[in-house]
Amino acid sequence: ADIAIATARPQGAAPGPKGIALFLVPRLDESGHLNYFVRRLKNKSATRAVPTGEVEFNASQAYLIGQAELGIYYTLENLTVSRLANAAGAMGLARKAHLEVLLRVQARSAFGQPRVQHPLVRADLTDFAVRTAGGLALLFHAIQAFDIAWMENPPYTSAYHYARFLSHLAKNRTAEHSTHLTQLGMELFGGLGFLEDYAIARLHREALVTAIWEGSSNIQALDMLEAMHKKSA
């Protein structure tokens, strides 16, 4: 990326989260040299097209975003956006798995009839349809709520706290849907679903990280409780 955002504690800032400021860090410094050093790229089980690495800052140039004392609020707003994006990605994986499965069970036969006509297969397809529809409805409701409140500044109104509450709920539930449905898709493919020849195995690996990225499920649960009990969301 040409620009990244990073949190850091300015000299003399207060301890704890309230002392964190948010900065823009360009890839190149003013002289055109690389502004940070990448120690290594990590070997991951999936999402390999999105590199994850360890970055080292040594006299790197950075630019303060807004007011230093509001950095924690800017950071949490960015996390809300990324959690909604994570939810969208999770449901995209689930929907892609759904399409792969529909084509598979319609094209293959077992015990003298197309697999799509078997009652237990149809029950699984119903699970696919309901979870996909429910996850997408929750996702877009959460996006709409944040779209209404995202221009707010601290102290936030109840509309903002409700949007934040929904972001935790959507991030958690869509990750569960995505993980469950891609696994179910592998099962409906049979043994072939475990082979790299088919997309469904990769979709499942990709889905597994959606419950971890942008705060694990436990973190989402705790933050959602905080929004409910302290902010009355």
Side-chain angles (χ1 to χ4, degrees):
D2 288 327
I3 296 176
I5 58 173
T7 56
R9 192 181 308 279
Q11 287 184 337
K18 291 294 180 69
I20 291 175
L22 192 64
F23 296 87
L24 277 181
V25 183
R27 183 171 66 88
L28 302 177
D29 62 21
E30 292 177 347
S31 61
H33 296 104
L34 193 63
N35 197 27
Y36 53 81
F37 175 72
V38 179
R39 291 176 178 171
R40 69 180 180 114
L41 296 179
K42 298 181 179 181
N43 187 20
K44 300 183 290 183
S45 62
T47 64
R48 294 169 187 164
V50 184
T52 299
E54 295 175 357
V55 178
E56 182 177 311
F57 298 117
N58 184 11
S60 299
Q61 292 179 355
Y63 302 90
L64 179 67
I65 296 175
Q67 303 175 49
E69 63 272 15
L70 297 180
I72 184 61
Y73 299 105
Y74 304 146
T75 302
L76 291 174
E77 288 180 14
N78 275 282
L79 275 173
T80 298
V81 174
S82 63
R83 285 163 176 167
L84 294 174
N86 189 88
M91 292 314 302
L93 290 167
R95 182 62 179 140
K96 173 61 173 171
H98 192 187
L99 293 174
E100 294 278 348
V101 164
L102 285 174
L103 291 172
R104 185 70 182 173
V105 299
Q106 289 169 2
R108 300 286 290 182
S109 295
F111 304 107
Q113 62 179 340
R115 292 185 61 204
V116 70
Q117 294 181 12
H118 289 279
L120 292 179
V121 172
R122 297 187 69 82
D124 287 340
L125 293 177
T126 300
D127 195 20
F128 254 107
V130 171
R131 282 178 177 260
T132 301
L136 286 171
L138 174 59
L139 163 66
F140 285 115
H141 180 54
I143 291 172
Q144 183 184 43
F146 189 65
D147 197 40
I148 293 171
W150 80 282
M151 288 294 290
E152 290 193 16
N153 294 309
Y156 300 115
T157 68
S158 58
Y160 186 91
H161 295 313
Y162 177 63
R164 213 196 95 202
F165 161 82
L166 283 175
S167 72
H168 301 308
L169 186 62
K171 196 273 184 186
N172 236 22
R173 293 298 296 141
T174 57
E176 291 177 2
H177 290 325
S178 184
T179 302
H180 172 79
L181 292 178
T182 52
Q183 180 184 0
L184 182 58
M186 290 177 67
E187 183 179 337
L188 287 167
F189 262 71
L192 295 179
F194 206 66
L195 302 181
E196 292 297 327
D197 305 60
Y198 297 87
I200 196 72
R202 180 178 64 83
L203 293 174
H204 182 56
R205 288 201 310 274
E206 299 276 332
L208 292 174
V209 80
T210 62
I212 304 170
W213 269 352
E214 314 311 329
S216 67
S217 298
N218 288 341
I219 293 296
Q220 302 306 318
L222 292 173
D223 284 353
M224 189 174 74
L225 282 173
E226 189 265 346
M228 292 168 62
H229 292 300
K230 289 188 177 181
K231 308 301 182 183
S232 300

